[in-house]
Amino acid sequence: MSKRSNNLPKHVAIIMDGNGRWAKQRSRPRVFGHKQGVEAIKTITRHASHLGIQVLTVYAFSTENWSRPEAEVKYILKLPQLFFDETLPELMANNVQVRVIGDIPGLPEETHGMLNEAIEKTANNDGLILNTAINYGSRDEIVHAVQEIVASGVDASQVDEALIEKHLYTNFLGELSDPDLIIRTSGEERLSNFLLWQAAYSEFYFTDTLWPDFSPEDLDEALEDYAQRHRRYGKL
Ligand code: FPP
């Protein structure tokens, strides 16, 4: 492979946007777009795993998404079940580890249970980490971290970046916590409360493609673009 393999991001995070518009273009209900969005997660996970990406974080449901119509919320929160029912054998065969970030106890029991099952079954794998951000909001994550720090009784002078990072949901990722590349589909160009702390030095890639249409070739294009970037982390 070309340059890309020399400069592959270790952690790719995706804001999967445009499911509703994809369905509307086909005169179908919005949930049809979400269902098709699950198909895109399958193909992109497969591709990311084959390429050797180490972490793929997908933004499945934000703390703000609760304000959508109840039926849509219910539908989205059932999708992990559909996804894992259909793909667990393949995830196991590809050595994928399932992980989650977000306010997991705040999810309905069923969703919570399904996610835990997938996490447990894949716990001994050591390939790609498929990290689902669900009931996730970055501000909520930071509030949660501050609450834990205050409750631990630590002196204010001891609070530093490392301590805050230790209390973020992404802590389990260690040095892979910060995404190298954040992709947002559907032409929108904003973070929408996603990984605000972790995105401090991330590269961004925006595409007009709607999430259900996002293909392995689209991911390749984003990776080629990333490979040309010169990351300076504030230095010259
Ligand atoms: C954004 O499109 C998409 C979502 C809010 C939901 C995405 C969730 C999934 C694809 C399923 C997740 C499941 C697993 C297994 C991780 P939108 O509805 O905001 O689209 P629009 O902007 O066109 O209305």
Side-chain angles (χ1 to χ4, degrees):
M1 261 194 279
S2 63
K3 257 187 149 172
R4 193 179 71 226
S5 50
N6 298 326
N7 198 6
L8 190 71
K10 292 182 179 141
H11 181 170
V12 175
I14 308 186
I15 303 174
M16 311 179 288
D17 201 3
N19 295 347
R21 278 164 282 167
W22 186 90
K24 194 168 177 219
Q25 284 174 359
R26 289 158 181 77
S27 308
R28 302 291 297 265
R30 293 177 52 80
V31 293
F32 182 63
H34 296 317
K35 187 156 188 279
Q36 202 56 37
V38 171
E39 295 304 313
I41 299 176
K42 284 185 202 167
T43 53
I44 295 304
T45 301
R46 190 177 298 137
H47 194 53
S49 164
H50 290 161
L51 287 173
I53 287 169
Q54 296 181 45
V55 183
L56 176 66
T57 298
V58 291
Y59 201 7
F61 189 81
S62 76
T63 46
E64 288 70 39
N65 286 152
W66 290 107
S67 58
R68 293 190 176 204
E70 198 185 330
E72 183 173 342
V73 168
K74 272 195 170 160
Y75 189 89
I76 294 176
L77 293 179
K78 283 204 172 125
L79 289 176
Q81 169 118 37
L82 175 78
F83 177 76
F84 291 118
D85 277 352
E86 289 178 2
T87 58
L88 251 183
E90 183 182 342
L91 296 176
M92 291 302 292
N94 286 332
N95 211 10
V96 173
Q97 310 172 62
V98 174
R99 303 301 294 260
V100 289
I101 52 171
D103 175 10
I104 306 306
L107 286 167
E109 192 76 29
E110 288 170 342
T111 314
H112 194 169
M114 186 63 208
L115 291 169
N116 277 343
E117 198 183 317
I119 292 165
E120 277 167 28
K121 285 193 172 145
T122 61
N124 293 325
N125 293 345
D126 62 2
L128 172 76
I129 296 174
L130 173 62
N131 183 34
T132 302
I134 185 162
N135 200 15
Y136 176 87
S138 204
R139 290 181 173 181
D140 179 65
E141 176 183 38
I142 292 168
V143 168
H144 180 259
V146 173
Q147 284 173 342
E148 282 188 356
I149 292 168
V150 172
S152 75
V154 69
D155 189 79
S157 65
Q158 302 299 307
V159 177
D160 58 10
E161 292 184 10
L163 183 69
I164 292 175
E165 280 170 4
K166 207 172 142 210
H167 289 273
L168 296 177
Y169 295 133
T170 44
N171 178 50
F172 73 93
L173 289 167
E175 61 174 20
L176 297 176
S177 293
D178 297 352
D180 301 295
L181 173 65
I182 297 181
I183 298 171
R184 185 167 186 151
T185 57
S186 91
E188 308 293 345
E189 301 189 356
R190 55 180 174 268
L191 262 180
S192 302
N193 205 11
F194 186 50
L195 302 175
L196 301 181
W197 175 284
Q198 297 87 339
Y201 288 102
S202 302
E203 297 291 328
F204 289 86
Y205 181 86
F206 300 110
T207 170
D208 287 339
T209 303
L210 304 176
W211 174 248
D213 287 331
F214 192 81
S215 65
E217 292 70 34
D218 291 313
L219 179 59
D220 285 343
E221 236 172 79
L223 297 174
E224 293 288 356
D225 194 279
Y226 173 85
Q228 313 301 323
R229 312 263 181 110
H230 179 216
R231 299 181 74 192
R232 297 201 317 229
Y233 300 95
K235 302 178 204 125
L236 284 181

